[in-house]
Amino acid sequence: GAVVSQHPSRVICKSGTSVKIECRSLDFQATTMFWYRQFPKQSLMLMATSNEGSKATYEQGVEKDKFLINHASLTLSTLTVTSAHPEDSSFYICSARDPALSGAEAFFGQGTRLTVV
Amino acid sequence: DQQVKQNSPSLSVQEGRISILNCDYTNSMFDYFLWYKKYPAEGPTFLISISSIKDKNEDGRFTVFLNKSAKHLSLHIVPSQPGDSAVYFCAASDRGSRLTFGEGTQLTVNP
């Protein structure tokens, strides 16, 4: 299947700082990428849909000013957690769909474990 | 409003037996369903999918069944292997847009 690479895999930052997470589609171009968040023992919650060349679409309850999304190219989307606080500690996962595939399969990155201290 | 539900948080089966993971959905607009496998601290891995125009899709040891009238799908793994132990998420898509995930089921296959 298609490959999606996410970096870093884990990051620890101080409260009040910002953290950037990158999501790359390695062997296909993705006009749309998705950012999820997963709390322990819970499902993946969609945070936002990242659209290449336009503004991201945020889910209800997700602060767009706190979770900045940039999708400047067809292979890269970034999520920046601004002014991080301990409650932002979570597992963040990106995914992308290969438009060449007829189905709705989305391929996921490895995830980023963010710990805010 | 939980549109995709996996009512069993955990399932334990013996190696070699069949594992059956269930998923229910409420949104009749969903037209594509997928199963993902996830290990701790890793992203989900795509396993198998099914279009709403079909009622069965098989890929090796994995078979997904879809009952549209009941809004229910299931994943069968046979024979189950210890390496299948993971959290399994079902997901549904509406016209190829974003995925809605269930809560996941922890499958444990005992040797």
Side-chain angles (χ1 to χ4, degrees):
Chain A
V3 179
V4 175
S5 178
Q6 189 173 338
H7 178 80
S9 59
R10 61 174 59 220
V11 58
I12 300 173
C13 71
K14 290 186 177 180
S15 186
T17 61
S18 296
V19 174
K20 180 185 286 189
I21 303 170
E22 293 186 347
C23 181
R24 295 180 184 273
S25 56
L26 297 186
D27 52 0
F28 65 99
Q29 294 183 327
T31 55
T32 304
M33 292 185 176
F34 304 90
W35 287 95
Y36 293 84
R37 181 174 180 177
Q38 185 185 27
F39 292 102
K41 298 188 177 181
Q42 292 191 23
S43 184
L44 289 83
M45 300 301 296
L46 180 65
M47 298 174 64
T49 302
S50 171
N51 305 298
E52 189 268 334
S54 65
K55 291 183 179 180
T57 305
Y58 289 82
E59 295 300 303
Q60 190 174 6
V62 178
E63 299 175 57
K64 64 177 74 173
D65 294 330
K66 180 162 190 64
F67 298 100
L68 299 179
I69 291 173
N70 184 281
H71 194 155
S73 78
L74 288 171
T75 59
L76 174 64
S77 175
T78 61
L79 168 68
T80 301
V81 183
T82 63
S83 187
H85 290 282
E87 58 265 30
D88 298 324
S89 299
S90 190
F91 191 61
Y92 294 86
I93 314 173
C94 71
S95 76
R97 291 185 59 238
D98 185 345
L101 299 178
S102 58
E105 292 89 352
F107 298 93
F108 287 80
Q110 305 93 318
T112 298
R113 170 67 62 190
L114 170 64
T115 303
V116 184
V117 297
Chain B
D1 175 29
Q2 189 69 24
Q3 296 187 63
V4 179
K5 283 194 70 65
Q6 293 174 254
N7 290 313
S8 297
S10 63
L11 173 68
S12 184
V13 300
Q14 206 63 31
E15 181 179 6
R17 298 291 188 99
I18 184 172
S19 296
I20 300 177
L21 298 125
N22 294 301
C23 180
D24 297 292
Y25 63 96
T26 58
N27 188 344
S28 57
M29 298 302 293
F30 287 144
D31 60 358
Y32 209 81
F33 303 89
L34 309 92
W35 284 94
Y36 286 85
K37 177 181 179 180
K38 186 180 182 300
Y39 295 111
E42 293 185 12
T45 302
F46 170 72
L47 272 179
I48 191 169
S49 62
I50 187 168
S51 164
S52 61
I53 62 175
K54 295 185 176 181
D55 54 21
K56 177 183 175 181
N57 187 26
E58 188 173 353
D59 183 3
R61 297 186 298 116
F62 302 92
T63 303
V64 55
F65 295 92
L66 175 62
N67 183 333
K68 284 187 65 177
S69 60
K71 293 190 175 68
H72 177 84
L73 66 153
S74 61
L75 173 67
H76 292 210
I77 306 173
V78 57
S80 301
Q81 300 172 355
D84 296 329
S85 298
V87 177
Y88 288 78
F89 288 96
C90 72
S93 171
D94 172 9
R95 294 186 302 275
S97 63
R98 64 193 194 186
L99 296 177
T100 301
F101 283 84
E103 305 95 326
T105 297
Q106 171 70 56
L107 172 66
T108 302
V109 180
N110 301 303

